[in-house]
Amino acid sequence: MAPLCSRPWLDLTVESDGTFAPCSVMDRATEAGRHFRQTTLEGYLASPELAELKAALSRGERPDACGVCWRDEAAGGWSVRRVGPEGVAAYEEVHLKISNVCNLSCRTCAPTSSSSWVAEEARADLKLHAPARVVDLKRDGVLDSLWPVLERTRKLRVTGGEPLLSPGFLALLDGLEARGLPERLELSVITNLTSLSFRGVDFVERFRRYPNFFAILSADGAGSAIEYARSGLSWPRFVEHLDRVRHWPGVIHCVVHVYSLLSIPDLVLAAWRAGKRVHYAVPFNDLLSVQLLGPQERALVLDRYEPACDELLAQGVPRDAISDMWRATVGLMHRRTLDQAAAGRFKRYTEELDRRRKTRFADTFPQLASWYAGLPEVTEGSRSSPER
């Protein structure tokens, strides 16, 4: 019997802090996940936690550390889980989190994945996240040790931070090209699309060297909603860049949460006009879940989505793309209702970020203002954070 997921055999993830893991979305907060802290490939391959994870998946078990995929699949969303053969001689896919350098401080993110968050947390009295520092696989000496692995892999996925603003990413591209790898390598990059050039490099032109390039464009919602959720992003500029890269093979990756929910139909239309489809995911925990919404707010969401689906169809968006959107948003929302304590944590987190950033939830989402005002106040001292 094939294991429930073959990534521990076929794939390798290198976190931006230089630690190794079998998967890019492994939940590091779980008992099993927090033990993956090896900083050498040899130590990782010989680690008891990797052996136990492989054994559990081979037995048909669902380890807690892999819960992100089970949850995403149950919600009708896309997951990174894959089933295939084990015991290959080389990694089929390597995932490099090249750096946590990023120009945005998204409300769904954390300092481990964003240098902007690192800076914001350093200035704040109330800390929302665990401490982190700015890291880079090239600067910290990890990238140079990985070339024997990269030269043999078939697929390379690069994330950040924001790779298109990372000196380490430029070094990675230089190294790939010096070794003659672009022709055979399947390179995919996850980007927030806020910048298409860095240090004199035009990525629209640079990626033409990679015939198997694939872009994963990260966008949670549209318009003022995404600008609220992703501090530092301009929606008009995103749309402009989206048009410039319409020739890139790729998809838009959207996390469905309270901040993005009402604007996702607009994102689907913008994506379709640029020749892209939208893939959906849910937050790493319940802090921002659309299942926080009450009955009146859910009715409001239906009032938004029902005519929006008709409009998308009239604009030529395929029915299956509209069905995917409905299942990942309205369908997810109706699966369960979270308790008031969870809603209070959402309010506490949102209020703190609004205070720091001089924004107001009710200004961006007036339809949800009454619901938000009625959420309970939470004053406990523990952090409320969407990070893994």
Side-chain angles (χ1 to χ4, degrees):
M1 180 180 74
L4 284 179
C5 180
S6 58
R7 285 192 178 274
W9 288 269
L10 298 178
D11 302 349
L12 177 69
T13 291
V14 185
E15 301 282 349
S16 57
D17 63 359
T19 57
F20 290 78
C23 177
S24 61
V25 299
M26 167 171 281
D27 190 345
R28 293 296 188 96
T30 60
E31 182 63 29
R34 68 170 56 98
H35 291 297
F36 282 91
R37 304 303 303 171
Q38 293 78 19
T39 57
T40 67
L41 181 59
E42 295 77 10
Y44 164 73
L45 293 175
S47 65
E49 47 270 22
L50 179 60
E52 174 53 33
L53 182 67
K54 288 180 176 180
L57 290 168
S58 295
R59 292 191 298 264
E61 298 174 6
R62 296 187 171 193
D64 289 345
C66 304
V68 171
C69 285
W70 315 128
R71 186 202 59 217
D72 284 355
E73 291 174 16
W78 170 82
S79 86
V80 302
R81 187 171 71 93
R82 57 188 294 190
V83 177
E86 57 185 273
V88 294
Y91 285 110
E92 181 176 294
E93 181 173 334
V94 174
H95 183 154
L96 295 183
K97 296 186 178 180
I98 195 70
S99 169
N100 67 343
V101 171
C102 187
N103 57 334
L104 304 183
S105 46
C106 303
R107 291 174 184 246
T108 55
C109 198
T112 51
S113 297
S114 169
S115 56
S116 294
W117 259 112
V118 172
E120 180 174 316
E121 283 285 274
R123 298 189 300 266
D125 296 327
L126 175 63
K127 308 300 183 184
L128 296 174
H129 299 277
R133 63 185 180 89
V134 179
V135 291
D136 184 283
L137 291 185
K138 173 61 178 175
R139 186 199 64 198
D140 297 342
V142 178
L143 180 60
D144 291 339
S145 71
L146 294 175
W147 285 113
V149 175
L150 297 177
E151 288 171 351
R152 300 173 65 195
T153 193
R154 185 169 67 88
K155 299 178 181 179
L156 175 61
R157 174 175 291 201
V158 185
T159 63
E162 172 47 48
L164 304 194
L165 294 173
S166 166
F169 183 59
L170 295 184
L172 174 65
L173 295 180
D174 289 343
L176 293 173
E177 291 158 19
R179 292 166 173 80
L181 299 178
E183 287 291 327
R184 71 162 182 81
L185 187 70
E186 295 181 22
L187 174 66
S188 62
V189 177
I190 300 181
T191 172
N192 61 32
L193 210 59
T194 55
S195 178
L196 293 175
S197 63
F198 181 62
R199 293 188 175 178
V201 174
D202 181 344
F203 290 108
V204 175
E205 292 302 317
R206 186 68 174 264
F207 289 144
R208 295 186 192 278
R209 303 178 188 180
Y210 295 80
N212 301 308
F213 174 71
F214 189 84
I216 303 170
L217 311 175
S218 180
D220 301 347
S224 60
I226 193 174
E227 292 179 342
Y228 176 87
R230 298 196 153 195
S231 183
L233 181 140
S234 163
W235 173 247
R237 187 169 180 80
F238 179 89
V239 173
E240 174 190 334
H241 287 179
L242 187 59
D243 185 62
R244 277 195 66 195
V245 303
R246 62 170 48 248
H247 64 284
W248 283 358
V251 297
I252 290 181
H253 181 269
C254 174
V255 180
V256 179
H257 47 68
V258 173
Y259 306 134
S260 65
L261 180 60
L262 291 172
S263 66
I264 286 175
D266 296 329
L267 175 65
V268 171
L269 181 57
W272 177 247
R273 287 172 172 168
K276 301 290 185 289
R277 296 286 289 262
V278 180
H279 282 186
Y280 303 93
V282 295
F284 283 111
N285 58 39
D286 290 337
L287 181 66
L288 307 179
S289 174
V290 296
Q291 294 165 344
L292 294 167
L293 296 175
Q296 291 183 334
E297 291 67 43
R298 295 183 183 204
L300 182 151
V301 171
L302 285 176
D303 288 342
R304 164 76 173 107
Y305 269 76
E306 287 172 346
C309 289
D310 292 337
E311 176 61 23
L312 290 173
L313 192 62
Q315 292 287 335
V317 179
R319 287 184 182 274
D320 62 331
I322 298 171
S323 296
D324 287 346
M325 178 191 72
W326 184 276
R327 182 169 55 252
T329 55
V330 177
L332 171 65
M333 179 181 68
H334 284 306
R335 286 179 183 269
R336 61 172 178 159
T337 300
L338 294 172
D339 60 27
Q340 285 294 290
R345 288 190 293 271
F346 165 80
K347 185 176 185 180
R348 179 173 182 262
Y349 179 74
T350 300
E351 282 183 336
E352 170 59 18
L353 290 183
D354 280 349
R355 183 187 65 81
R356 293 183 187 181
R357 300 174 183 181
K358 296 180 173 55
T359 53
R360 289 184 72 246
F361 179 89
D363 290 344
T364 305
F365 309 102
Q367 313 95 314
L368 301 177
S370 296
W371 166 77
Y372 182 73
L375 295 180
E377 301 293 334
V378 176
T379 58
E380 78 271 13
S382 61
R383 284 193 304 267
S384 295
S385 160
E387 68 186 313
R388 285 180 281 159

